[in-house]
Amino acid sequence: MPTAIYPGTFDPITYGHIDIAVRASKIFTKVVAVVATNPAKNPVFSMEERVVLAREALKDVPQITVVGYSGLIVNCVKEYGASAIIRGLRAMSDVDYEFQMAYTNRNMLTSAETVFLMPSAEYAYLNSTLVKQIARHGGDIGGFVPEFVKNKLLGKVVC
Ligand code: ADP
């Protein structure tokens, strides 16, 4: 199987993202996790910080590399010679947005298919926004992100 890219904001990377990236690495020879700029989301971490955290989180999986990218995902797909775009689907609530994006990407580039993967059930409710909210309110996020991510996040949100 060829190369897939796995784009996202990863602000910060969670066990849900890691679960999807690892699943993708069992299907594709090479997976490029693409940390994208997303001004709409007003990220807590800079792109460089998100790349560092994602690299650390995924360092034990040799097929996965992590890069930062500002620009259209379809251009990134072409740059890496990928034939698939991985996205995670947690619940029906993800479907509208994900389908919109998948159809738009297909419209711009027909040579790549969007492939949706489901996480383990234990991560099906997990998202970075929730993790940041819990951290801001002093809750325990140890079950949602690796230790080094937790420490970095607490450094950011707890003043
Ligand atoms: P984006 O801004 O692209 O939605 P995210 O970092 O929020 O960036 O998510 C990147 C991808 O990872 C998306 O496809 C999202 O659905 C998926 N994802 C995020 N959290 C989870 C999770 N807990 N389980 C499965 N997929 C997830």
Side-chain angles (χ1 to χ4, degrees), residues 6-62:
Y6 175 34
T9 311
F10 302 104
D11 184 47
I13 191 161
T14 69
Y15 285 135
H17 293 123
I18 296 168
D19 181 294
I20 294 294
V22 170
R23 283 174 198 282
S25 75
K26 290 176 182 160
I27 307 172
F28 294 91
T29 316
K30 192 174 164 205
V31 175
V32 184
V34 178
V35 178
T37 45
N38 191 342
K41 284 201 170 178
N42 195 15
V44 164
F45 291 100
S46 69
M47 190 212 264
E48 292 71 25
E49 289 171 319
R50 286 179 276 138
V51 167
V52 168
L53 292 176
R55 276 202 184 127
E56 180 64 21
L58 297 167
K59 69 174 184 207
D60 292 334
V61 191

Coordinates of all heavy atoms in Angstrom, one line a residue, residues 6-62:
Y6 N -2.1 12.2 6.9 CA -3.1 12.4 8.0 C -3.1 13.8 8.5 O -2.2 14.2 9.3 CB -2.8 11.4 9.1 CG -3.7 11.5 10.3 CD1 -5.0 11.8 10.2 CD2 -3.2 11.2 11.6 CE1 -5.8 11.9 11.3 CE2 -4.0 11.3 12.7 CZ -5.3 11.6 12.6 OH -6.1 11.7 13.7
P7 N -3.9 14.7 7.9 CA -3.8 16.1 8.3 C -4.7 16.4 9.5 O -5.8 15.8 9.7 CB -4.4 16.8 7.0 CG -5.3 15.8 6.4 CD -4.9 14.4 6.8
G8 N -4.3 17.4 10.2 CA -5.1 17.8 11.3 C -4.5 19.0 12.0 O -3.3 19.4 11.7
T9 N -5.2 19.6 13.0 CA -4.6 20.7 13.7 C -3.7 20.2 14.9 O -2.7 20.8 15.2 CB -5.8 21.6 14.3 OG1 -6.7 21.9 13.3 CG2 -5.2 22.9 14.8
F10 N -4.1 19.1 15.4 CA -3.3 18.4 16.5 C -2.9 19.4 17.6 O -1.7 19.6 17.9 CB -2.1 17.8 15.9 CG -2.3 16.7 14.9 CD1 -2.1 17.0 13.5 CD2 -2.8 15.5 15.2 CE1 -2.4 16.0 12.5 CE2 -3.1 14.5 14.2 CZ -2.9 14.8 12.9
D11 N -3.9 20.1 18.2 CA -3.6 21.2 19.1 C -4.2 20.8 20.5 O -5.2 21.4 20.9 CB -4.2 22.5 18.6 CG -3.9 23.7 19.5 OD1 -2.7 23.8 19.9 OD2 -4.8 24.4 19.9
P12 N -3.6 20.0 21.3 CA -2.4 19.2 21.0 C -2.8 17.7 20.5 O -4.0 17.4 20.6 CB -1.7 19.1 22.3 CG -2.8 19.0 23.3 CD -3.9 19.9 22.7
I13 N -1.8 16.9 20.2 CA -2.1 15.6 19.8 C -2.7 14.8 21.0 O -2.2 15.0 22.2 CB -0.8 14.9 19.3 CG1 -1.2 13.5 18.6 CG2 0.3 14.7 20.3 CD1 -0.1 13.0 17.7
T14 N -3.7 14.0 20.8 CA -4.3 13.2 21.9 C -4.2 11.7 21.6 O -3.7 11.3 20.5 CB -5.8 13.5 22.0 OG1 -6.5 13.0 20.8 CG2 -6.1 15.0 22.1
Y15 N -4.6 10.9 22.5 CA -4.6 9.4 22.3 C -5.5 9.1 21.1 O -5.3 8.1 20.5 CB -5.0 8.7 23.5 CG -3.9 8.6 24.6 CD1 -4.2 8.9 25.9 CD2 -2.6 8.3 24.3 CE1 -3.2 8.8 26.9 CE2 -1.6 8.3 25.2 CZ -1.9 8.5 26.6 OH -0.9 8.5 27.5
G16 N -6.5 9.9 20.9 CA -7.4 9.6 19.7 C -6.7 9.8 18.4 O -6.8 8.9 17.5
H17 N -5.9 10.9 18.3 CA -5.1 11.1 17.0 C -4.1 9.9 16.9 O -3.9 9.4 15.8 CB -4.3 12.4 17.1 CG -5.1 13.6 17.1 ND1 -5.0 14.6 18.1 CD2 -6.0 14.1 16.2 CE1 -5.8 15.6 17.8 NE2 -6.4 15.4 16.7
I18 N -3.4 9.6 18.0 CA -2.4 8.6 18.0 C -3.0 7.2 17.5 O -2.5 6.5 16.7 CB -1.7 8.4 19.3 CG1 -1.0 9.7 19.7 CG2 -0.8 7.2 19.4 CD1 -0.5 9.8 21.1
D19 N -4.2 6.9 18.0 CA -4.9 5.7 17.7 C -5.1 5.6 16.2 O -4.9 4.6 15.5 CB -6.2 5.7 18.5 CG -7.1 4.4 18.2 OD1 -7.5 4.3 17.0 OD2 -7.3 3.6 19.1
I20 N -5.6 6.8 15.6 CA -5.9 6.8 14.1 C -4.6 6.6 13.3 O -4.5 5.9 12.4 CB -6.6 8.1 13.8 CG1 -8.0 8.1 14.4 CG2 -6.7 8.2 12.2 CD1 -9.0 7.1 13.9
A21 N -3.5 7.4 13.7 CA -2.3 7.3 13.0 C -1.7 5.9 13.0 O -1.2 5.4 12.0 CB -1.3 8.3 13.6
V22 N -1.8 5.2 14.2 CA -1.2 3.9 14.3 C -2.1 2.9 13.4 O -1.5 2.1 12.7 CB -1.2 3.4 15.7 CG1 -0.9 1.9 15.8 CG2 -0.1 4.2 16.5
R23 N -3.4 3.1 13.4 CA -4.2 2.2 12.6 C -3.8 2.4 11.1 O -3.7 1.5 10.3 CB -5.7 2.6 12.8 CG -6.3 2.0 14.0 CD -7.7 2.4 14.3 NE -8.0 2.2 15.7 CZ -8.3 1.0 16.2 NH1 -8.3 -0.1 15.4 NH2 -8.5 0.8 17.5
A24 N -3.6 3.7 10.7 CA -3.3 4.0 9.3 C -1.9 3.4 8.9 O -1.8 2.9 7.8 CB -3.2 5.5 9.1
S25 N -1.0 3.3 9.9 CA 0.3 2.8 9.6 C 0.3 1.3 9.4 O 1.2 0.7 8.9 CB 1.3 3.1 10.8 OG 1.0 2.3 11.9
K26 N -0.8 0.6 9.8 CA -1.0 -0.8 9.6 C -1.5 -1.1 8.2 O -1.5 -2.2 7.7 CB -1.9 -1.4 10.6 CG -1.2 -1.4 12.0 CD -2.1 -1.9 13.1 CE -1.3 -1.9 14.4 NZ -2.3 -1.9 15.6
I27 N -2.1 -0.1 7.5 CA -2.6 -0.2 6.2 C -1.7 0.3 5.1 O -1.6 -0.3 4.1 CB -4.0 0.5 6.1 CG1 -4.9 0.1 7.2 CG2 -4.7 0.3 4.7 CD1 -6.2 1.0 7.3
F28 N -1.1 1.5 5.4 CA -0.2 2.1 4.4 C 1.3 2.0 4.8 O 1.6 1.9 5.9 CB -0.6 3.6 4.4 CG -1.9 3.9 3.9 CD1 -3.0 3.9 4.7 CD2 -2.2 4.0 2.5 CE1 -4.3 4.1 4.2 CE2 -3.5 4.1 2.0 CZ -4.5 4.2 2.9
T29 N 2.1 1.9 3.7 CA 3.5 1.7 3.9 C 4.1 2.9 4.6 O 5.0 2.8 5.5 CB 4.2 1.6 2.5 OG1 3.4 0.8 1.7 CG2 5.6 1.1 2.7
K30 N 3.6 4.1 4.3 CA 4.1 5.4 4.9 C 3.0 6.3 5.2 O 2.0 6.4 4.4 CB 5.0 6.0 3.8 CG 5.9 7.1 4.4 CD 6.9 7.7 3.4 CE 7.3 9.0 3.9 NZ 7.8 9.9 2.8
V31 N 3.0 6.8 6.4 CA 1.9 7.8 6.8 C 2.6 9.1 7.2 O 3.6 9.1 8.0 CB 1.1 7.3 8.0 CG1 0.1 8.3 8.5 CG2 0.4 6.0 7.7
V32 N 2.2 10.2 6.6 CA 2.7 11.5 6.9 C 1.7 12.2 7.7 O 0.6 12.6 7.2 CB 3.1 12.3 5.7 CG1 3.8 13.6 6.1 CG2 4.0 11.5 4.8
A33 N 1.9 12.4 9.0 CA 1.0 13.2 9.8 C 1.3 14.7 9.6 O 2.4 15.1 9.8 CB 1.2 12.9 11.3
V34 N 0.3 15.4 9.1 CA 0.5 16.8 8.6 C -0.1 17.7 9.6 O -1.4 17.8 9.7 CB -0.1 17.0 7.2 CG1 0.1 18.4 6.8 CG2 0.6 16.0 6.2
V35 N 0.7 18.4 10.3 CA 0.2 19.4 11.3 C -0.1 20.7 10.5 O 0.9 21.4 10.0 CB 1.3 19.7 12.4 CG1 0.8 20.7 13.3 CG2 1.6 18.4 13.1
A36 N -1.3 21.0 10.4 CA -1.7 22.1 9.5 C -2.0 23.4 10.3 O -2.3 23.4 11.5 CB -3.0 21.7 8.8
T37 N -1.8 24.5 9.6 CA -2.2 25.8 10.2 C -3.7 25.9 10.1 O -4.4 25.4 9.2 CB -1.6 27.0 9.3 OG1 -1.9 26.7 8.0 CG2 -0.2 27.2 9.6
N38 N -4.3 26.4 11.2 CA -5.8 26.6 11.2 C -6.2 27.8 12.0 O -6.5 27.7 13.2 CB -6.4 25.3 11.7 CG -7.9 25.3 11.5 OD1 -8.5 26.3 11.2 ND2 -8.5 24.1 11.6
P39 N -6.1 29.0 11.3 CA -6.4 30.2 12.0 C -7.8 30.2 12.6 O -8.0 30.8 13.7 CB -6.3 31.3 10.9 CG -5.6 30.6 9.8 CD -5.8 29.2 9.9
A40 N -8.7 29.5 12.0 CA -10.1 29.4 12.5 C -10.2 28.8 13.9 O -11.1 29.1 14.7 CB -11.0 28.6 11.5
K41 N -9.2 28.0 14.2 CA -9.2 27.3 15.5 C -8.4 28.0 16.6 O -8.5 27.6 17.7 CB -8.7 25.8 15.3 CG -9.7 24.9 14.7 CD -9.4 23.5 15.0 CE -10.6 22.6 14.6 NZ -10.3 21.2 14.9
N42 N -7.7 29.0 16.2 CA -6.9 29.8 17.1 C -6.1 28.9 18.1 O -6.4 28.9 19.3 CB -7.8 30.8 17.9 CG -7.1 31.8 18.6 OD1 -5.9 32.0 18.3 ND2 -7.7 32.5 19.6
P43 N -5.2 28.1 17.6 CA -4.5 27.1 18.4 C -3.8 27.7 19.6 O -3.3 28.8 19.6 CB -3.5 26.5 17.4 CG -3.9 26.9 16.0 CD -4.7 28.2 16.2
V44 N -3.7 26.8 20.6 CA -3.0 27.2 21.9 C -1.5 27.0 21.6 O -0.6 27.8 22.1 CB -3.4 26.2 23.0 CG1 -2.4 26.3 24.2 CG2 -4.8 26.6 23.5
F45 N -1.1 26.0 20.8 CA 0.3 25.7 20.5 C 0.6 26.2 19.1 O -0.2 26.1 18.2 CB 0.6 24.2 20.6 CG 0.5 23.6 21.9 CD1 -0.6 22.9 22.4 CD2 1.6 23.7 22.8 CE1 -0.7 22.4 23.6 CE2 1.5 23.2 24.1 CZ 0.4 22.5 24.5
S46 N 1.9 26.7 19.0 CA 2.3 27.1 17.6 C 2.5 25.9 16.8 O 2.5 24.8 17.3 CB 3.7 27.8 17.7 OG 4.7 26.9 18.1
M47 N 2.6 26.1 15.5 CA 2.7 24.9 14.6 C 4.0 24.1 15.0 O 4.0 22.9 15.0 CB 2.8 25.3 13.1 CG 2.7 24.1 12.2 SD 3.6 24.3 10.7 CE 2.3 24.9 9.7
E48 N 5.1 24.8 15.3 CA 6.3 24.2 15.6 C 6.2 23.3 16.9 O 6.6 22.2 16.9 CB 7.5 25.2 15.8 CG 7.9 25.9 14.6 CD 6.9 27.0 14.1 OE1 6.1 27.5 14.9 OE2 6.9 27.3 12.9
E49 N 5.5 23.9 17.9 CA 5.2 23.1 19.1 C 4.4 21.9 18.8 O 4.6 20.8 19.4 CB 4.5 24.0 20.1 CG 5.4 25.1 20.7 CD 4.6 26.1 21.5 OE1 3.5 26.5 21.2 OE2 5.1 26.5 22.6
R50 N 3.3 22.1 18.0 CA 2.5 20.9 17.7 C 3.2 19.8 17.0 O 3.0 18.6 17.2 CB 1.2 21.4 16.9 CG 0.3 22.2 17.7 CD -0.9 22.7 17.0 NE -0.7 23.9 16.3 CZ -1.0 24.2 15.0 NH1 -1.7 23.3 14.3 NH2 -0.8 25.4 14.5
V51 N 4.1 20.2 16.1 CA 5.0 19.2 15.4 C 5.9 18.5 16.3 O 5.9 17.2 16.3 CB 5.8 19.9 14.3 CG1 6.9 19.0 13.7 CG2 4.9 20.4 13.1
V52 N 6.5 19.2 17.3 CA 7.4 18.6 18.2 C 6.6 17.5 19.1 O 7.1 16.4 19.3 CB 8.1 19.6 19.1 CG1 8.8 19.0 20.3 CG2 9.0 20.5 18.3
L53 N 5.4 17.9 19.5 CA 4.6 17.0 20.4 C 4.2 15.8 19.6 O 4.2 14.7 20.1 CB 3.4 17.8 21.0 CG 3.7 18.9 22.0 CD1 2.5 19.6 22.4 CD2 4.4 18.3 23.2
A54 N 3.7 16.0 18.4 CA 3.3 14.9 17.6 C 4.4 14.0 17.2 O 4.3 12.7 17.2 CB 2.6 15.4 16.3
R55 N 5.6 14.5 16.9 CA 6.8 13.7 16.6 C 7.1 12.8 17.8 O 7.4 11.6 17.7 CB 8.0 14.6 16.3 CG 8.0 15.0 14.9 CD 9.4 15.4 14.4 NE 9.2 15.9 13.0 CZ 9.6 17.1 12.6 NH1 10.3 17.9 13.3 NH2 9.3 17.4 11.3
E56 N 7.1 13.4 19.0 CA 7.4 12.6 20.2 C 6.4 11.5 20.4 O 6.7 10.4 20.7 CB 7.5 13.6 21.4 CG 7.8 13.0 22.8 CD 9.2 12.4 22.8 OE1 10.1 12.8 22.0 OE2 9.4 11.5 23.7
A57 N 5.1 11.9 20.2 CA 4.1 10.9 20.5 C 4.1 9.7 19.5 O 3.6 8.6 19.8 CB 2.7 11.6 20.4
L58 N 4.6 10.0 18.3 CA 4.6 9.0 17.2 C 5.9 8.4 16.9 O 6.1 7.6 15.9 CB 3.9 9.6 16.0 CG 2.4 10.0 16.2 CD1 2.0 10.9 15.0 CD2 1.5 8.8 16.3
K59 N 6.9 8.7 17.7 CA 8.3 8.3 17.4 C 8.6 6.8 17.3 O 9.5 6.4 16.7 CB 9.3 9.0 18.3 CG 9.2 8.5 19.7 CD 10.3 9.1 20.6 CE 10.2 8.4 22.0 NZ 10.7 9.1 23.1
D60 N 7.7 6.0 18.0 CA 8.0 4.6 18.0 C 7.4 3.9 16.8 O 7.5 2.7 16.7 CB 7.4 4.0 19.3 CG 8.1 4.4 20.5 OD1 9.3 4.8 20.4 OD2 7.5 4.5 21.6
V61 N 6.7 4.6 15.9 CA 6.2 4.0 14.7 C 7.0 4.4 13.5 O 6.8 5.6 13.0 CB 4.7 4.3 14.5 CG1 4.0 3.4 13.5 CG2 3.9 4.2 15.8
P62 N 7.9 3.6 13.0 CA 8.8 4.0 12.0 C 8.1 4.5 10.7 O 8.7 5.3 9.9 CB 9.7 2.8 11.7 CG 9.1 1.7 12.5 CD 8.1 2.2 13.5

